[in-house]
Amino acid sequence: MSVAMVTLGCTRNEVDSEELAGRLQAGGFRLVEDPAEADTVVVNTCGFVEQAKKDSVDTLLEAADLKESGRAQAVVAVGCMAERYGKELADSLPEADAVLGFDDYPDIAAKLRGILAGGHHQAHTPTDRRLLLPITPVERDASSIPVPGISVDVKDFSAVRARLDDAPWAPLKLASGCDRRCTFCAIPSFRGSFVSRRPSDVLHEARWLAQQGVKELFLVSENSTSYGKDLGDIRLLESLLPELAAVDGIERVRVSYLQPAETRPGLVQAIATTPGVAPYFDLSFQHASHAVLRRMRRFGDPESFLDLLEQVRRQAPEAGVRSNVIVGFPGETERDLEILCDFLTAARLDVTGVFGYSDEDGTEAAGFADKLDEDEVLARAAHVTSLVEELTAQRAEERIGETVDVLIEETDGEVVGRAAHQGPEVDGQTMLVGDVAGRRPGDLVRATVVASEGVDLVAEVGPARV
């Protein structure tokens, strides 16, 4: 029996898809890339914002069409949207043969076999997954409930993870869940409370990924700055980073999703100065106005954020910094928007994702009274997006003349990769020119930036090896 995984959403979902693929492969399924060639299509859905949910439904419907035009016998929904809505999604989308929640992941192969045999899977009724673990972080045990992408005491990861592409980088989960209570975000309710992986498990998986040809580890979680708090050591990431960078075969380690209010000086120093760790700071600012941030139940203001950026650049002047902001949050005034724009201008970020606010089921902000008109939200988002495009293009242009270490990802036609300040898939890329003959994906080469276009760079290759 063959199965194809279709993944939507973030890199955390990519880890989950590879976990499901590994369990299916270990359970006797044959992995295929093309859904049209698969007996079963498993769609790993995203439930983050309204557009992501729409994309997930559209993808499930497209996969269901393959039951008529391809060889598919079953289409199965998994992932965040499936976990978040469960039976409601199953009832509203009969085209999907089953909706599986996180609790179904450990025996996913048996579940799919039963579905292919004509059995009926009863979709779950969603519950708040934060209630499944103790409130006190140090009393939590990640092995007590299924947590996607977090395997415990595994020595051979071939049984629980299968690479779905041959990219020279791979996401590696540090933790899952979130303890924050941001008023706009529903993720903690369906991802659950924050649980860290033990360092030994992270290191074992890192070594396994290196054996698969991975050169760059992309550490992912809902909140990497909280790593270790439930293990009794909030500074655990600072000691883990050098160990990961020392794994044989790994050229670069990158950390994602840092909470600015939790980003302590020691962590800044570790990311900025540890050999083999990319000086890359994925800081989730979300806004800059103190008033808006408090309504979001977050902390910070332009002064504290700029001070954090100054700390980063004092230790790593060429560090990459990316962030996301929400525009049009309930109660946002024109002055709040001006504060945000002034901050973005001063911050000199490499990449900024701009999201117009929209209500999310079950969030506190959905009940706020002082919402902006939808057209006004769209107009503000367009304004900030235009500003960000100008600012990030300027930041890229400032890098002309810099020496960068580029991990090559493509050599079909142009030779393209990513510098240390560019995260996978969303932060732009660097095209290499000059002495590029014989270069292969996975090579890490040193080059000098000679031009920019938007956030993308052109760099001329210097020495053959870093």
Short mmCIF file of all heavy atoms in Angstrom, two decimals, residues 87 90-91 96-100 111 114-123:
data_model
loop_
_atom_site.label_atom_id
_atom_site.label_comp_id
_atom_site.label_asym_id
_atom_site.label_seq_id
_atom_site.Cartn_x
_atom_site.Cartn_y
_atom_site.Cartn_z
N LYS A 87 -14.46 16.22 15.07
CA LYS A 87 -15.75 15.75 14.56
C LYS A 87 -16.44 16.82 13.73
O LYS A 87 -17.11 16.50 12.72
CB LYS A 87 -16.65 15.33 15.72
CG LYS A 87 -17.95 14.65 15.30
CD LYS A 87 -18.72 14.17 16.52
CE LYS A 87 -19.95 13.37 16.07
NZ LYS A 87 -20.87 14.18 15.23
N ALA A 90 -14.99 16.61 10.34
CA ALA A 90 -15.43 15.38 9.68
C ALA A 90 -16.86 15.50 9.18
O ALA A 90 -17.19 15.05 8.07
CB ALA A 90 -15.29 14.20 10.65
N ASP A 91 -17.73 16.10 9.98
CA ASP A 91 -19.14 16.24 9.58
C ASP A 91 -19.31 17.21 8.43
O ASP A 91 -20.18 17.02 7.57
CB ASP A 91 -19.97 16.71 10.78
CG ASP A 91 -20.09 15.65 11.86
OD1 ASP A 91 -19.82 14.47 11.57
OD2 ASP A 91 -20.45 16.01 13.00
N ALA A 96 -13.52 13.80 2.98
CA ALA A 96 -12.40 13.16 3.67
C ALA A 96 -12.89 11.87 4.32
O ALA A 96 -13.93 11.85 4.97
CB ALA A 96 -11.83 14.10 4.73
N ASP A 97 -12.14 10.80 4.13
CA ASP A 97 -12.55 9.50 4.66
C ASP A 97 -12.33 9.38 6.16
O ASP A 97 -12.95 8.53 6.81
CB ASP A 97 -11.79 8.40 3.93
CG ASP A 97 -12.15 8.35 2.46
OD1 ASP A 97 -13.18 7.76 2.12
OD2 ASP A 97 -11.42 8.96 1.65
N ALA A 98 -11.45 10.22 6.70
CA ALA A 98 -11.23 10.19 8.15
C ALA A 98 -10.52 11.46 8.58
O ALA A 98 -9.79 12.08 7.81
CB ALA A 98 -10.39 8.97 8.55
N VAL A 99 -10.79 11.85 9.80
CA VAL A 99 -10.11 12.98 10.45
C VAL A 99 -9.43 12.42 11.70
O VAL A 99 -10.11 11.95 12.62
CB VAL A 99 -11.09 14.10 10.80
CG1 VAL A 99 -10.40 15.18 11.63
CG2 VAL A 99 -11.71 14.70 9.54
N LEU A 100 -8.10 12.45 11.72
CA LEU A 100 -7.35 11.88 12.82
C LEU A 100 -6.73 12.97 13.68
O LEU A 100 -6.16 13.94 13.16
CB LEU A 100 -6.23 10.96 12.30
CG LEU A 100 -6.64 9.83 11.35
CD1 LEU A 100 -5.44 8.96 11.01
CD2 LEU A 100 -7.75 8.98 11.96
N LYS A 111 -4.33 2.60 11.88
CA LYS A 111 -5.52 3.42 11.59
C LYS A 111 -5.78 3.46 10.08
O LYS A 111 -6.92 3.27 9.62
CB LYS A 111 -5.33 4.84 12.12
CG LYS A 111 -5.08 4.94 13.61
CD LYS A 111 -6.34 4.71 14.42
CE LYS A 111 -6.08 4.97 15.89
NZ LYS A 111 -7.25 4.68 16.74
N GLY A 114 -7.06 0.16 8.61
CA GLY A 114 -8.47 -0.03 8.90
C GLY A 114 -9.36 0.81 7.99
O GLY A 114 -10.41 0.35 7.52
N ILE A 115 -8.94 2.04 7.72
CA ILE A 115 -9.71 2.92 6.84
C ILE A 115 -9.73 2.36 5.42
O ILE A 115 -10.77 2.33 4.75
CB ILE A 115 -9.12 4.34 6.88
CG1 ILE A 115 -9.32 4.95 8.27
CG2 ILE A 115 -9.75 5.23 5.80
CD1 ILE A 115 -8.45 6.16 8.54
N LEU A 116 -8.58 1.88 4.94
CA LEU A 116 -8.50 1.30 3.60
C LEU A 116 -9.33 0.03 3.48
O LEU A 116 -9.83 -0.30 2.40
CB LEU A 116 -7.04 1.01 3.23
CG LEU A 116 -6.20 2.23 2.83
CD1 LEU A 116 -4.72 1.86 2.79
CD2 LEU A 116 -6.64 2.77 1.47
N ALA A 117 -9.49 -0.66 4.60
CA ALA A 117 -10.29 -1.89 4.60
C ALA A 117 -11.78 -1.61 4.69
O ALA A 117 -12.59 -2.53 4.74
CB ALA A 117 -9.85 -2.79 5.74
N GLY A 118 -12.13 -0.31 4.72
CA GLY A 118 -13.55 0.05 4.77
C GLY A 118 -14.08 0.35 6.13
O GLY A 118 -15.28 0.59 6.31
N GLY A 119 -13.18 0.35 7.12
CA GLY A 119 -13.63 0.64 8.47
C GLY A 119 -13.93 2.12 8.67
O GLY A 119 -13.45 2.98 7.93
N HIS A 120 -14.74 2.42 9.66
CA HIS A 120 -15.10 3.81 9.96
C HIS A 120 -14.31 4.30 11.16
O HIS A 120 -14.28 3.63 12.21
CB HIS A 120 -16.59 3.93 10.25
CG HIS A 120 -17.00 5.30 10.70
ND1 HIS A 120 -16.99 6.39 9.85
CD2 HIS A 120 -17.41 5.76 11.92
CE1 HIS A 120 -17.38 7.47 10.52
NE2 HIS A 120 -17.64 7.10 11.78
N HIS A 121 -13.68 5.45 11.02
CA HIS A 121 -12.96 6.04 12.14
C HIS A 121 -13.81 7.14 12.75
O HIS A 121 -14.22 8.08 12.06
CB HIS A 121 -11.62 6.62 11.68
CG HIS A 121 -10.87 7.30 12.79
ND1 HIS A 121 -10.12 6.62 13.72
CD2 HIS A 121 -10.78 8.62 13.13
CE1 HIS A 121 -9.59 7.47 14.57
NE2 HIS A 121 -9.97 8.69 14.24
N GLN A 122 -14.08 7.04 14.04
CA GLN A 122 -14.87 8.04 14.73
C GLN A 122 -13.98 9.22 15.09
O GLN A 122 -13.05 9.10 15.89
CB GLN A 122 -15.47 7.45 16.01
CG GLN A 122 -16.35 8.43 16.79
CD GLN A 122 -17.60 8.83 16.00
OE1 GLN A 122 -18.25 8.00 15.38
NE2 GLN A 122 -17.91 10.12 16.02
N ALA A 123 -14.23 10.37 14.47
CA ALA A 123 -13.43 11.56 14.75
C ALA A 123 -13.63 11.99 16.20
O ALA A 123 -14.71 11.84 16.78
CB ALA A 123 -13.80 12.68 13.79
#
